[in-house]
């Protein structure tokens, strides 16, 4: 199980836009997420929220490069959330080891070859349409079958471009061209994506489908974020992209122990927050 902390260096991300636009603030935020237990820090310089404006490659690169460089030189594993080869290249040069592409190599024809050349890990995500249009009446025959077929095709494409299959992670793209029902169906049947034979990463953190259920604003969706990540774990997810690392990691740890997928021996009790005496 791996937890990926979100470091948005953007003015307009849906839940934390503008908070960490300054490089120093973003670096401090990334360090805080790492100290809370993030296994990977996912640095992004372009919002992909519904209706978001495009950002030039130059501006995106200017935002992310110093943040990636500082966090990577601390020794943290860093992923770059971009669809643009020039941004990915600058981030890989600055020490990133993972490229997280929400277009699954459809946005920039150069990106797959770059990833193949660098031998980095890649996250391929499903999205219907583009961020600007994706919530305009999305339709599927069967959302899980369609997403699985799409991801299978994108894995094949990446492998044909020279990316090693064992470097690939797949992501159903919660909220990217999906209605509330589509998101719920994907999360309920997430285990069906295991047929792809690749690790599954899922991003539910603070997303709109949670607000649709709870009526809460983006920064008040922690309860829904925890519930959806715990159930995604139970359904077969391997990694979780979240804003609230401390709370979600703790929930996932307890869920893993309860599910029996992680043992909880004496060594871990000493290292963990709770001791046997306090339990
Ligand atoms: N979601 C967002 C961005 N990147 N990458 C992956 N692999 N999976 C996701 O679900 C995913 C993603 C959107 O969330 P956020 O970064 O919080 O917002 P914004 O795109 O507005 O910056």
């Amino acid at each position: 199980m791996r937890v990926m902390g979100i470091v948005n260096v953007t003015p307009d991300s849906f839940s934390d836009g503008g908070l960490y636009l300054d490089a120093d603030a973003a670096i401090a935020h990334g360090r805080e997420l790492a100290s809370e237990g993030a296994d990977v820090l996912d640095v992004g310089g372009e919002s992909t929220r519904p209706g978001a404006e495009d950002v030039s490659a130059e501006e995106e690169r200017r935002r992310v490069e110093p943040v990636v460089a500082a966090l990577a030189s601390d020794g943290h594993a860093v992923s770059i959330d971009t669809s643009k080869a020039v941004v990915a290249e600058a981030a890989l040069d600055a020490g990133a080891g993972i490229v997280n592409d929400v277009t699954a190599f459809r946005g920039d024809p150069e990106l797959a070859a770059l990833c193949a050349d660098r031998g980095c890990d890649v996250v391929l995500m499903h999205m219907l349409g583009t961020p600007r249009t994706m919530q305009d009446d999305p339709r599927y025959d069967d959302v899980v079958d369609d997403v699985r077929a799409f991801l299978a095709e994108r894995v094949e494409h990446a492998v044909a471009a020279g990316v090693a299959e064992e470097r690939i992670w797949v992501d159903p793209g919660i909220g990217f061209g999906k209605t509330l029902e589509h998101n719920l169906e994907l999360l309920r049947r997430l285990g069906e994506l295991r047929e792809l034979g690749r690790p599954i990463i899922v991003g539910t953190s603070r997303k709109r489908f949670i607000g649709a259920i709870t009526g809460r604003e983006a920064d008040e969706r922690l309860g829904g974020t925890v519930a959806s990540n715990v159930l995604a774990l139970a359904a077969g997810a391997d990694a979780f992209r979240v804003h609230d690392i401390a709370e979600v990691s703790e929930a996932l740890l307890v869920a893993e122990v309860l599910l029996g997928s992680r043992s909880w021996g004496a060594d871990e009790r000493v290292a963990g927050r709770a001791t046997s005496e306090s339990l």
Side-chain angles (χ1 to χ4, degrees):
M1 189 269 285
R2 295 218 292 178
V3 187
M4 178 185 264
I6 301 172
V7 182
N8 281 324
V9 201
T10 57
D12 55 351
S13 287
F14 73 95
S15 82
D16 55 6
L19 273 183
Y20 312 110
L21 186 53
D22 168 52
D24 289 341
I27 293 162
H29 184 57
R31 287 180 175 146
E32 191 185 331
L33 295 180
S35 76
E36 290 177 359
D39 300 296
V40 181
L41 299 170
D42 189 40
V43 178
E46 177 179 35
S47 174
T48 47
R49 82 185 147 76
E53 291 299 321
D54 292 342
V55 175
S56 73
E58 200 183 321
E59 170 63 12
E60 192 180 332
R61 176 184 161 151
R62 191 193 63 73
R63 289 177 185 173
V64 297
E65 205 172 11
V67 179
V68 171
L71 295 175
S73 74
D74 284 352
H76 302 309
V78 176
S79 98
I80 177 69
D81 187 348
T82 190
S83 305
K84 300 186 183 86
V86 290
V87 177
E89 187 167 24
L92 292 167
D93 287 346
I98 306 172
V99 171
N100 172 23
D101 179 11
V102 298
T103 75
F105 292 154
R106 294 173 301 157
D108 184 334
E110 314 282 320
L111 188 53
L114 173 74
C115 293
D117 185 46
R118 298 301 186 92
C120 60
D121 282 7
V122 302
V123 177
L124 302 178
M125 195 195 79
H126 175 272
M127 168 165 48
L128 188 69
T130 66
R132 207 182 287 224
T133 61
M134 64 192 180
Q135 291 308 113
D136 302 345
D137 194 25
R139 287 168 196 244
Y140 299 87
D141 290 334
D142 176 294
V143 68
V144 181
D145 291 349
D146 291 6
V147 166
R148 188 181 50 222
F150 170 89
L151 290 172
E153 189 276 322
R154 295 322 290 166
V155 169
E156 250 177 57
H157 171 89
V159 170
V163 176
E165 192 167 348
E166 60 271 21
R167 293 265 172 213
I168 302 174
W169 294 66
V170 293
D171 185 327
I174 298 300
F176 287 83
K178 280 123 192 153
T179 63
L180 171 63
E181 273 310 319
H182 294 144
N183 290 316
L184 299 179
E185 186 78 9
L186 275 166
L187 287 168
R188 288 187 190 119
R189 294 170 52 200
L190 199 66
E192 293 177 37
L193 300 185
R194 298 217 65 82
E195 289 162 30
L196 293 163
R198 301 308 316 142
I200 300 168
I201 179 161
V202 70
T204 66
S205 191
R206 302 183 185 174
K207 281 190 178 164
R208 194 182 280 192
F209 80 95
I210 296 172
I213 298 169
T214 61
R216 296 290 197 167
E217 294 302 322
D219 60 355
E220 302 168 337
R221 296 177 186 160
L222 180 58
T225 296
V226 167
S228 53
N229 280 289
V230 164
L231 290 173
L233 170 79
D238 302 281
F240 308 84
R241 182 181 180 278
V242 297
H243 300 86
D244 303 286
I245 289 289
E247 295 85 349
V248 176
S249 300
E250 198 169 304
L252 289 171
L253 169 63
V254 173
E256 275 196 309
V257 174
L258 282 169
L259 290 166
S261 52
R262 179 193 284 241
S263 63
W264 190 242
D267 291 351
E268 287 139 303
R269 271 200 293 275
V270 171
R273 286 186 185 80
T275 63
S276 52
E277 286 77 25
S278 67
L279 283 174

